[in-house]
Amino acid sequence: MASNNQNKPPVLSNNITKASPSSNKKKLGVDEVTCDKEQKFGAEKMVGTANNARIRQAFSVVNGIQDLGLSSNPASNAGSECGTIEFTREDVEALLSEKMRYKNKFNYKERCENMMDYIKRLRLCIKWFQELEGDYAFEHERLRNALELSEQKCAEMELALRNKEEELNLIIVELRKSFASLQEKLAKEESDKLVRGLDSEFNVAALDSLAREKETRLNMERSHASLSEDLGKAQEELQSANQRIASINDMYKLLQEYNSSLQHYNTKLQKDIDAAHESIKRGEKEKSAIVENLSTLRGQYKSLQEQLSTYKASQDEAMRQKDALVHEVASMRVELQQVRDDRDHQLSQVQALTAEVIKHKELAVSSEDLEARCASQSNQIRSLSDQLAAAEEKLEVSDLSALETKTEFEGQKKLINELRNHLEDAEYKLIEGEKLRKRLHNTILELKGNIRVFCRVRPLLPDDSSGSEGKLISYPTTTEALGRGIDIMQNGQKHSFSFDRVFMPDESQEDVFVEISQLVQSALDGYKVCIFAYGQTGSGKTYTMMGKPGHPDLKGLIPRSLEQIFQTRQSLLSQGWKYEMQVSMLEIYNETIRDLLSTNRDASRLENACNGKQYAIKHDASGNTHVTDLTVVDVCSTKEVSYLLDRAAHSRSVGKTQMNEQSSRSHFVFTLRISGLNESTEQQVQGILNLIDLAGSERLSKSGSTGDRLKETQAINKSLSSLSDVIFALAKKEKKEDHVPFRNSKLTYLLQPCLGGDSKTLMFVNISPEASSVGESLCSLRFAARVNACEIGTPRRQTSMRSSESRLSLG
C-alpha cells in the first residue's frame, strides 16, 4: 500500500468513559439519588460484553460520578456483528497503524485478501462505535429527562419550602405575641398572687401553656433545618446532573466526528479495493511473464551452479594430486642426492686404494700378508664398483621418473588453468544474467505505464553552509531502499520517499547517463521518449541536462544522449538501417513560445503578433505534436547538434536573482525527430526524443525579484502550478472522460502526449541540500511522488512498412 499517512483515519481521543446505558427511564427523586464514590473521567478502555444474547455494557461513569439509578432491563444488541468483541484503545490504535506485509508484492490476490480482512475488521470497529454512539445518545436523552424531572421537583420543593417558611414565620410571630402576652399575664398573675394570693390552679395552667409554646417553637426550628438541608441536596444533585450532561454532549460530538471520519476512510478503502481488483487482472498477465522469465533464469542459474561445483571439485582433486606429486619429487630428489654423495665417497675410496696399490707396487713388497691384503682390497674395489654401477642405474631411473612427474605436473597445471577459465566464464555469465534481470525489471516498470522518477541531490557549493546536507538529507541502507530511498528532515520530523532511482551528490554525470541510456536507445527503436528536469531554482537542473561547457567529463544528458544515438546509428548501418534526424529547440518565456534556432534572434524575442510568426501548438490524430512556423534543422553528426545547442544556449533567457547567478527564466524544450528505414526488411520506424529543462520554482521572498524578473517569476510559477494541476488530475483520473486541464498553460499543452499518451516519460527531480531550501525540497519531493503514481498508458512503438514518403513528418 503505498504510502503513507494520507489514507489513515484520525484516532479517537481516549477521553471516553466506560459506561452502561439503562433501558428504563426511571424518575429521579430526591430520596432516590445516591452518589457512591468519585471516579476519574477519561477511562482508557471501551468494551462490549454479552448478556443473554449480545448486549453492550451501559454508561456507568460520566464526568467522575456514577450513573443515577439502576437499570433492570438492559438494551439488547442481539443482531450486532461485534457484540462479543472487545476493543481497547490499544486495539484501535494498532488496527489503524497496521501496515500490510506481503511475501510477494506482485501477488495481487494475496494483497486483495489481506485488504478485505483489514476492511472487515475496520467495519466491525465502526459498527462497534456506531452502537456505542447509540448508547451515548440513549443515555443523553435519559439524563436530559431526569434533569427536567429534577428541575421540576426542585422548583416544586422551593415553592413548597417558601410557602411553608411563610406559614412558619406567621406561626412564629403569633406564638411570639402569645408568649409575650402570656409572660405579661404571668407577671401580673404572679404579682397578683403575691398581693392577693391567687389559687395555684391558674399558675399550673400558665406553666403548661408556656411549655407547649416552647415545644412548638423547637419543632418549627427543626422543620426549617430539615427543609434547608433538602434544598441544598437538591441543588447539589442539579449541579452534578448539569456537569454530566455537558460531558455527555462533548463525548457525543467526538463520536459523531470520529464516525464521519471512519465512514470517509471506509469509502476510500473501498475505492482502493476496486483499484486492487482491477490491477489483479493486469498483475496476472505480468505474473505469468515474470514467472516464465524467473523459471528460465533459475534453470540457467542452477546449471551454472552445477558446472561451478563440478569445476571446483575437479580443481580440488587436481590440487591434491599436484601436492602429492610435489611431495614425491622432493623425496626422490633427497634420495638422488644421497646416492650421489655415496658415489662420491666410493670414488674417493677407490682413488685412495689406487694410490696405495701404486705405492705397494713401487715398494715391491712380496709379503703374503700384503698379497692377501691386496686381494681383499681388490674384492672391496669390485664390490664398490658394483655398488657404483647400481647407484648410477638407480640415478638414471630417478631421472626418468622425475621427468615423467614433471610432464604430469605440467598437464595438471594446464587442466587447472582451463578450470579457472571455465570458472571466470561462469562468473561472467552470472554477471550478465544479473544485468539481464535488471533490464527485465526496468522493462516491467515501463510496461506498467507509470511515469518513472529519478531524484538527484546536488553537492554542496562553497557558498553553502557546510554540513547541512548530512543533517537534513539521508539515504536508507536497507536492501529494498538502497539506491531508491531518500529521507529529509524538517523541524525535527523525518519524511521518507522512494523513487525508481536516487542519485547521491558524489555520483557523476556518467553514472546518471548509464541509468537512462537504454531509455534514450528506445527512441531509435521507434518510441516516443520524454525526459524533463524539475526542481527549485539553483538545484542543478540545467547542469543535469546540459552539463558544464568546456569540460567534456561534465557533459549533461542532452550531449551524451546525442553521442549515443549517432554512434548507434553508425553501428546499425551494417544491419541495413538508415536514419534521418531533425532537431528543433524552443523556449516558453512568459507563456510565449520563442524559436531558439531562428536566424533573426532579435525578431524571435518579440511577441508572436509583432514578428509575423504564429507559434501554435498542434496535435494530430496519431498523437504527434508540432509547432507551426518553428525552425526544424536536418542534422547528420554530433558536431552539428553541438553547434545548434551552443546557439540556442546564447539565445535562451537567463537572469540573476538572489538565489542563482545564472537562473533560467524560461522552459527549454529540445526535440530530436528520428526516421529510420531498413532497406532489407522494408520496415520503417519513427521516434521522438524530447529533452526538457524546466525553469525553477522560486519564492519571491527569497529571490527578491522585481520588475521584469517579477513577471518572469509569476509566469514560471503559474506554468508549474498548471503542471501540478495536470498531475493531480491524472492521479485522480478514473475514466477516460474525466477532464485533464492540459490547455491551462502552453507548457502542459506541449507536454500532453508525454503526460497523457503512449510515451516513455522520465522525470528528474533535483534537490538542493541547503538548510534554507528544505521547504522547497520537500514540496518538490511530494510533487515527484505524485508524478510517480500517475499512469499514462503503455508505450507504443511506431513502426510501419515503407511508403512513398521517405521523411518523417514534422509532427
Side-chain angles (χ1 to χ4, degrees), residues 257-288:
E257 294 175 358
Y258 189 68
N259 189 22
S260 62
S261 65
L262 285 176
Q263 290 176 354
H264 179 69
Y265 182 63
N266 189 17
T267 305
K268 187 179 292 184
L269 287 177
Q270 191 64 35
K271 292 180 180 179
D272 292 340
I273 287 179
D274 296 336
H277 281 301
E278 293 177 359
S279 62
I280 283 175
K281 297 179 181 179
R282 298 193 302 268
E284 290 297 333
K285 296 180 180 179
E286 298 172 2
K287 179 183 176 182
S288 61

Side-chain angles (χ1 to χ4, degrees), residues 129-145:
F129 274 111
Q130 289 176 347
E131 292 179 358
L132 186 62
E133 181 183 2
D135 295 340
Y136 272 103
F138 175 77
E139 181 67 13
H140 181 269
E141 185 66 23
R142 189 182 69 78
L143 289 178
R144 188 187 296 277
N145 294 333

Side-chain angles (χ1 to χ4, degrees), residues 315 319 415-425:
Q315 183 182 7
M319 291 300 294
L415 178 61
I416 291 171
N417 292 331
E418 291 178 355
L419 292 176
R420 286 178 179 174
N421 293 332
H422 285 302
L423 181 60
E424 290 176 357
D425 292 338

Side-chain angles (χ1 to χ4, degrees), residues 207-218:
L207 291 174
D208 292 338
S209 176
L210 181 61
R212 285 195 301 273
E213 181 179 359
K214 290 181 179 179
E215 185 178 357
T216 303
R217 183 175 180 182
L218 292 174

Side-chain angles (χ1 to χ4, degrees), residues 24-279:
N24 61 335
K25 300 180 180 179
K26 190 174 182 181
K27 293 185 178 181
L28 302 175
V30 175
D31 296 332
E32 297 173 349
V33 179
T34 58
C35 298
D36 296 338
K37 61 181 180 177
E38 296 289 333
Q39 292 185 356
K40 184 178 180 181
F41 175 67
E44 294 182 351
K45 192 173 183 181
M46 304 176 290
V47 297
T49 59
N51 187 6
N52 295 332
R54 297 179 186 176
I55 58 174
R56 187 174 304 287
Q57 192 174 2
F59 285 74
S60 61
V61 179
V62 179
N63 202 17
I65 304 176
Q66 283 192 345
D67 190 15
L68 302 179
L70 298 174
S71 173
S72 59
N73 297 318
S76 175
N77 292 333
S80 172
E81 296 180 0
C82 57
T84 60
I85 300 175
E86 295 184 0
F87 289 93
T88 63
R89 183 171 67 91
E90 292 79 5
D91 295 337
V92 175
E93 291 179 354
L95 181 61
L96 297 179
S97 61
E98 181 177 347
K99 293 183 178 179
M100 298 297 174
R101 298 182 181 274
Y102 313 104
K103 296 180 179 179
N104 185 1
K105 63 179 180 181
F106 295 105
N107 192 348
Y108 294 100
K109 185 175 181 181
E110 180 187 0
R111 294 174 66 178
C112 185
E113 291 176 355
N114 294 339
M115 182 62 69
M116 292 295 292
D117 180 66
Y118 182 68
I119 291 175
K120 184 176 180 182
R121 287 182 282 148
L122 276 179
R123 284 180 176 171
L124 287 176
C125 185
I126 292 171
K127 184 71 175 177
W128 188 84
F129 274 111
Q130 289 176 347
E131 292 179 358
L132 186 62
E133 181 183 2
D135 295 340
Y136 272 103
F138 175 77
E139 181 67 13
H140 181 269
E141 185 66 23
R142 189 182 69 78
L143 289 178
R144 188 187 296 277
N145 294 333
L147 178 61
E148 292 177 356
L149 292 174
S150 178
E151 289 178 349
Q152 184 178 0
K153 277 189 170 291
C154 288
E156 293 175 357
M157 289 171 57
E158 288 179 356
L159 182 60
L161 185 62
R162 291 194 191 95
N163 295 334
K164 194 72 173 178
E165 186 176 2
E166 291 177 357
E167 292 177 0
L168 290 175
N169 289 333
L170 293 175
I171 293 172
I172 289 171
V173 170
E174 291 177 358
L175 288 174
R176 285 177 179 174
K177 290 179 180 179
S178 175
F179 181 71
S181 62
L182 287 174
Q183 282 183 342
E184 291 177 357
K185 288 179 181 181
L186 181 60
K188 290 180 180 180
E189 288 176 358
E190 286 179 352
S191 61
D192 291 339
K193 182 179 179 181
L194 293 174
V195 176
R196 291 175 293 178
L198 295 175
D199 51 356
S200 61
E201 293 181 357
F202 180 79
N203 293 332
V204 172
L207 291 174
D208 292 338
S209 176
L210 181 61
R212 285 195 301 273
E213 181 179 359
K214 290 181 179 179
E215 185 178 357
T216 303
R217 183 175 180 182
L218 292 174
N219 290 333
M220 292 301 294
E221 290 178 352
R222 284 195 296 270
S223 177
H224 183 271
S226 64
L227 289 174
S228 299
E229 184 178 358
D230 292 340
L231 178 62
K233 291 181 178 180
Q235 289 177 349
E236 291 177 356
E237 292 167 358
L238 178 62
Q239 184 178 3
S240 65
N242 288 331
Q243 293 177 353
R244 283 180 291 170
I245 288 174
S247 64
I248 288 175
N249 285 331
D250 294 338
M251 288 186 287
Y252 183 69
K253 291 178 181 179
L254 285 174
L255 285 173
Q256 281 184 336
E257 294 175 358
Y258 189 68
N259 189 22
S260 62
S261 65
L262 285 176
Q263 290 176 354
H264 179 69
Y265 182 63
N266 189 17
T267 305
K268 187 179 292 184
L269 287 177
Q270 191 64 35
K271 292 180 180 179
D272 292 340
I273 287 179
D274 296 336
H277 281 301
E278 293 177 359
S279 62

